[in-house]
């Protein structure tokens, strides 16, 4: 499956952004989907995951209560709604597809290109 992330940009602290991830090549419903991020000079970190049906979601502690992951399998789309953004959320955000409902990057086989998010203070 090929993934294309979009929706990143520059936003002030406290603001919101909605990231989108478009899938092509295979039916999105076959995959667990995740969002990861990588800040400059830091390791990639897990942000959120959603099960194939969308019933189950899983968040890192750093974004829980502020970010919401969702999916529309009919449209082959996954979203990450980000509210109450903080400067420490600044990073390149990636969507990924995999087989296991996990926060581990190694559980995901297909990765999109990153979309940059910059949160100014």
């Amino acid at each position: 499956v090929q993934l294309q992330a979009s929706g990143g940009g520059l936003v002030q602290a406290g603001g919101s952004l909605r990231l989108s991830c478009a899938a092509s090549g295979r039916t999105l419903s076959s995959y667990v989907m995740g969002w990861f991020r990588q800040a400059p000079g830091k390791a990639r970190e897990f942000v959120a995951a959603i099960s194939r049906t969308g019933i189950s979601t899983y968040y890192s502690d750093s974004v829980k209560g502020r970010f919401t992951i969702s999916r529309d399998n009919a449209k082959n789309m996954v979203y990450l709604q980000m509210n109450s953004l903080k400067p420490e959320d600044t990073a390149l955000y990636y969507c990924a597809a995999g087989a296991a409902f996990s926060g581990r990057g190694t559980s995901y086989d297909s990765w999109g290109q990153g979309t940059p998010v910059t949160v100014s203070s």
Side-chain angles (χ1 to χ4, degrees):
V1 63
Q2 290 77 48
L3 303 172
Q4 177 88 23
S6 62
L10 173 63
V11 64
Q12 288 188 331
S16 298
L17 279 176
R18 187 195 197 202
L19 305 184
S20 298
C21 177
S24 61
R26 292 197 65 179
T27 304
L28 193 66
S29 59
S30 300
Y31 300 94
V32 170
M33 297 299 296
W35 285 96
F36 291 77
R37 67 187 182 186
Q38 187 166 20
K42 294 188 176 182
R44 182 182 64 195
E45 67 169 337
F46 168 73
V47 175
I50 188 166
S51 62
R52 289 175 179 81
T53 60
I55 290 176
S56 298
T57 56
Y58 172 41
Y59 298 93
S60 69
D61 288 342
S62 61
V63 307
K64 196 176 299 180
R66 300 187 297 122
F67 290 12
T68 302
I69 187 171
S70 62
R71 66 192 297 162
D72 185 338
N73 286 340
K75 295 182 178 179
N76 264 11
M77 296 290 294
V78 178
Y79 306 99
L80 185 68
Q81 178 67 43
M82 307 186 295
N83 298 329
S84 302
L85 282 161
K86 304 175 181 180
E88 50 263 43
D89 294 318
T90 295
L92 201 56
Y93 283 72
Y94 299 88
C95 58
F101 187 56
S102 167
R104 295 183 177 180
T106 52
S107 297
Y108 296 83
D109 305 309
S110 299
W111 294 78
Q113 92 297 347
T115 186
V117 172
T118 303
V119 184
S120 63
S121 57

